[in-house]
């Protein structure tokens, strides 16, 4: 079997759930594109933890009521699930913040926004 035929292992993606991690990520570099803002930071953890990618999702009250915020976060989670394995760096934390229009933005444009922000 040649090396080209071997499947490339995708990094494991986990969720950021602690406020401390969100705040630490907010101090790192960020990029806003269209309906999404992405914050990133490299983690200072053990070598076994550097093979994972952590992602967090948030939406402020500017987005709308609870239903609209939940919809925005669901859309960001699904877009991140599709994009992060190919574009994200293992050992990094990413926070995706929903901006205005994220719930009404066409799906291909939302994916493009996230790709260009990463």
């Amino acid at each position: 079997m040649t090396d080209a035929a071997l499947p490339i292992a995708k990094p494991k993606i986990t969720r950021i759930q602690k406020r401390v991690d969100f705040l630490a990520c907010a101090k790192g570099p960020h990029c806003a594109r269209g309906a999404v803002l992405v914050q990133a930071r490299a983690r200072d953890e053990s070598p076994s933890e550097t093979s994972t990618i952590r992602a967090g999702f948030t939406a402020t009250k500017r987005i709308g009521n609870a239903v609209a915020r939940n919809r925005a976060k669901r859309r960001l989670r699904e877009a991140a699930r599709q994009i992060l394995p190919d574009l994200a760096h293992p050992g990094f934390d990413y926070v995706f913040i929903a901006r205005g229009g994220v719930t009404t933005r066409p799906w291909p444009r939302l994916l493009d926004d996230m790709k260009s922000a990463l």
Side-chain angles (χ1 to χ4, degrees):
M1 185 177 249
T2 64
D3 289 337
L6 294 175
I8 297 173
K10 300 284 184 179
K12 184 178 177 186
I13 299 173
T14 59
R15 295 273 305 274
I16 297 174
Q17 296 180 342
K18 294 184 180 178
R19 184 173 190 265
V20 173
D21 295 329
F22 279 94
L23 294 176
C25 205
K27 294 178 182 175
H30 64 276
C31 183
R33 293 287 185 266
V36 68
L37 174 107
V38 178
Q39 300 169 335
R41 81 170 179 106
R43 284 194 313 275
D44 304 331
E45 294 184 354
S46 65
S48 64
E49 292 292 321
T50 59
S51 63
T52 62
I53 298 168
R54 294 195 318 173
F57 306 92
T58 187
T60 64
K61 286 190 175 182
R62 266 188 203 169
I63 300 301
N65 61 8
V67 174
R69 291 193 304 271
N70 287 336
R71 178 180 167 92
K73 288 187 282 186
R74 280 195 311 268
R75 292 189 75 182
L76 291 178
R77 279 194 298 268
E78 179 59 24
R81 187 187 67 77
Q82 292 180 15
I83 292 173
L84 283 180
D86 297 327
L87 297 178
H89 297 286
F92 274 71
D93 287 348
Y94 296 94
V95 172
F96 297 91
I97 301 174
R99 297 178 72 196
V102 71
T103 57
T104 58
R105 198 163 193 84
W107 184 248
R109 288 194 59 200
L110 181 63
L111 291 176
D112 289 341
D113 290 346
M114 289 186 74
K115 286 177 187 176
S116 63
L118 285 172

